[in-house]
């Protein structure tokens, strides 16, 4: 169950679990969500493999392009909505209000008084390693396609950079924000939206 963040109740999930107090905590290396861990890597790694071996797998550029884009789309949805929540207890999304302003909203898993619900170190490493490494590879592919004049592949690699880079950016902001008062980011924004709706309804009633 995900709840809105607070200063003291949010779980601090470190990049590669390198926090200073890591040594003082009992290590929890067991993978609690093997299916989520598998699919966290499956779609993004499969997209990279298909891109590298597409000329061997199929002579049709359209078939390879569609397959890669589908894998990237599945990966974006799974990482943003499922694996981040299960593996590291983080979730993010972006909303645009009525004035056209973009707002980032973050959630982090609430830690119980008994210290339960903490992410395992193994899952945290898998999550952040896959989240950071794959977008870097797509950036390398983009430069490679550009300098080798493979123009037809630019749309595919740019899609990989955008989709996987968006998840990386969102979770990095979510991670950095988890050490601050995220109530000012999430709860305040949602509160403003609620007050605005109430004001609109009252004016229409009058």
């Amino acid at each position: 169950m995900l709840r809105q963040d607070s200063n003291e109740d949010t779980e601090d999930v470190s990049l590669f679990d390198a926090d200073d107090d890591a040594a003082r905590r009992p290590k929890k290396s067991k993978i609690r969500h093997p299916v989520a861990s598998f699919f966290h890597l499956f779609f993004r790694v499969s997209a990279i493999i298909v891109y590298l071996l597409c000329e061997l797998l199929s002579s049709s550029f359209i078939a390879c392009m569609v397959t890669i884009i589908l894998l990237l789309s599945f990966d974006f949805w799974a990482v943003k909505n499922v694996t981040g929540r299960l593996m590291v207890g983080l979730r993010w999304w972006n909303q645009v209000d009525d004035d056209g302003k973009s707002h980032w909203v973050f959630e982090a898993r609430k830690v119980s008084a008994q210290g339960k619900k903490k992410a395992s170190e193994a899952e945290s490493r898998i999550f952040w390693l896959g989240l950071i490494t794959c977008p870097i590879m797509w950036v390398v592919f983009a430069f490679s396609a550009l300098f080798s004049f493979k123009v037809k592949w630019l749309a595919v690699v740019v899609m990989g950079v955008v989709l996987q880079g968006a998840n990386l950016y969102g979770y990095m902001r979510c991670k950095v924000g988890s050490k601050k008062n995220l109530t000012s980011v999430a709860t305040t924004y949602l509160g403003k939206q609620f007050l605005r709706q109430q004001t609109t309804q009252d004016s229409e009633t009058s």
Side-chain angles (χ1 to χ4, degrees), residues 37-150:
S37 300
F38 172 77
F39 282 105
H40 177 71
L41 298 176
F42 174 76
F43 291 125
R44 54 184 50 214
V45 172
S46 297
I48 292 174
I49 292 175
V50 172
Y51 175 79
L52 293 175
L53 302 179
C54 61
E55 295 182 356
L56 298 177
L57 297 175
S58 174
S59 59
S60 174
F61 167 75
I62 299 298
C64 292
M65 181 183 68
V66 171
T67 301
I68 294 172
I69 291 177
L70 285 176
L71 289 171
L72 290 172
S73 301
F74 292 153
D75 170 75
F76 178 81
W77 183 89
V79 173
K80 181 178 181 295
N81 297 290
V82 180
T83 64
R85 176 174 58 86
L86 294 178
M87 297 175 69
V88 292
L90 298 174
R91 187 170 65 176
W92 67 272
W93 69 93
N94 185 273
Q95 293 182 351
V96 179
D97 60 18
D98 297 336
D99 298 329
K101 294 182 179 180
S102 179
H103 297 269
W104 289 83
V105 186
F106 307 107
E107 285 185 343
R109 181 187 296 139
K110 183 178 177 63
V111 181
S112 65
Q114 291 78 18
K116 297 181 180 180
K117 296 291 184 180
K118 288 189 175 182
S120 72
E121 294 182 4
E123 286 185 351
S124 181
R125 286 193 177 95
I126 291 172
F127 179 83
W128 291 110
L129 185 63
L131 193 72
I132 295 172
T133 303
C134 292
I136 294 176
M137 295 185 67
W138 283 110
V139 171
V140 173
F141 295 157
F143 281 106
S144 176
L146 182 64
F147 291 125
S148 61
F149 301 103
K150 295 181 179 179

